[in-house]
Amino acid sequence: MQSGIGIHQRVIEEFETMKIRKAGLVRRKLLRLNLSKDEKCLVVDEDYVAQQQTYRDGYQQLLSHLKPDTCCILIFDLCYDTKDYLSKDDLVLILWCPDGASTKKKMQFSTGKTAVKDKLKGFKLDLEVNSLDEIELSILADKLGGSNVVKIEGVPV
């Protein structure tokens, strides 16, 4: 790839499964990507797979993956409700590069995000955040549809 960071095939497969809306299909709510040990490609971060089932609140689950000194890329299946009584599910790509992370990691993940956008299609939002206040519910609501969004992950905005 041009970016120098590849995408592991499992990431592609998991992402495609997240896009499928079919009754009875068990799919992930959130996919956390990290660099492989050789730092050549993005892989599914297995350390966080078990954590998937421990949260009832999807927004809190999302926040739990954002560590103050560790970069990551998150693909999140975001549920939200509108004033028109519509419930929507959209995939959101989040690049998390906190101030406490090393410059090298920030650069690697920024490059990795470009690779993800080139390879995986279907994101409603593409966010780059460095602190938790950049991903508050009100900010997400504004980016999803402004004042038309009334709930995100069941939480009133």
Side-chain angles (χ1 to χ4, degrees), residues 27 32 34 36 40 52 60 63 72 76 79 96 102 116 121 126-127 129 138 142-144 149:
R27 58 188 178 91
R32 180 184 163 112
N34 207 345
S36 59
K40 292 185 179 181
Q52 297 288 325
Q60 289 303 314
L63 295 180
C72 69
F76 188 60
C79 301
W96 172 250
S102 72
V116 169
K121 303 296 181 197
D126 170 5
L127 303 171
V129 293
S138 60
D142 187 49
K143 293 182 183 285
L144 288 166
V149 176

Side-chain angles (χ1 to χ4, degrees), residues 68-117:
D69 59 352
T70 306
C71 295
C72 69
I73 294 174
L74 300 173
I75 300 172
F76 188 60
D77 185 7
L78 187 72
C79 301
Y80 59 101
D81 298 331
T82 67
K83 285 182 180 177
D84 305 328
Y85 303 102
L86 295 175
S87 291
K88 297 184 176 184
D89 288 291
D90 286 314
L91 294 173
V92 177
L93 176 64
I94 302 168
L95 170 62
W96 172 250
C97 287
D99 293 333
S102 72
T103 302
K104 177 184 176 185
K105 290 293 182 192
K106 289 178 187 180
M107 290 176 62
Q108 287 174 311
F109 276 90
S110 181
T111 302
K113 182 183 148 245
T114 301
V116 169
K117 284 178 53 177

Side-chain angles (χ1 to χ4, degrees), residues 46-65:
E46 294 299 337
D47 292 340
Y48 289 87
V49 171
Q51 190 176 355
Q52 297 288 325
Q53 304 302 322
T54 61
Y55 286 89
R56 291 185 184 190
D57 180 342
Y59 179 68
Q60 289 303 314
Q61 177 186 357
L62 170 68
L63 295 180
S64 74
H65 288 274

